Amino acid sequence: QVHVVESGGGLVQAGGSLRLSCAASGSIFSITSMGWYRQAPGKQRELVAVITSGGNTNYADSVKGRFTISRDNAKNMMSLQMNSLKPEDTAVYYCNAQWIGFGGTDFGSWGQGTQVTVSS
């Protein structure tokens, strides 16, 4: 069984910063990529940023230049530094881990989500 746990959400004023963290644990042989997704009320879940085991990153256009994703492969942990936050960044943020089990099978796991609220 694999657990993915997010932390670090909260309430912040526009222009402020927050840092989200995610940790994956369990019977994981290796994690191929980890990513952050978000879902605002009434909207579909969308990709925010993703990072591969090799350090390649991809960001949604709406967060480029403001958010930075990083990863500690040895600890199966990932962080998202969010700066210059805007009210439209308000959403539940979910961590996703794409991982390989010891049997060689690919899996994907989601965290429970953490709320980020940006006030204007």
Side-chain angles (χ1 to χ4, degrees), residues 3-6 22-23 45 93-97 109-114:
H3 297 280
V4 176
V5 179
E6 305 100 335
C22 173
R45 190 173 297 188
Y93 283 69
Y94 296 92
C95 175
N96 174 268
S109 296
W110 291 93
Q112 79 287 352
T114 185

Side-chain angles (χ1 to χ4, degrees), residues 18-95:
L18 281 175
R19 186 177 182 87
L20 305 182
S21 295
C22 173
S25 62
S27 299
I28 300 171
F29 176 71
S30 68
I31 295 180
T32 53
S33 68
M34 298 184 78
W36 288 98
Y37 293 73
R38 66 187 181 188
Q39 187 166 18
K43 295 187 177 182
Q44 289 187 329
R45 190 173 297 188
E46 63 176 2
L47 173 70
V48 176
V50 64
I51 185 167
T52 68
S53 58
N56 294 318
T57 59
N58 188 37
Y59 295 90
D61 288 342
S62 59
V63 307
K64 284 181 180 177
R66 300 188 297 123
F67 291 10
T68 303
I69 191 170
S70 60
R71 181 173 165 181
D72 185 334
N73 289 336
K75 297 180 179 179
N76 288 341
M77 295 184 66
M78 172 183 65
S79 295
L80 184 70
Q81 179 65 41
M82 304 185 294
N83 299 327
S84 302
L85 283 161
K86 304 176 181 180
E88 51 264 43
D89 294 318
T90 296
V92 177
Y93 283 69
Y94 296 92
C95 175

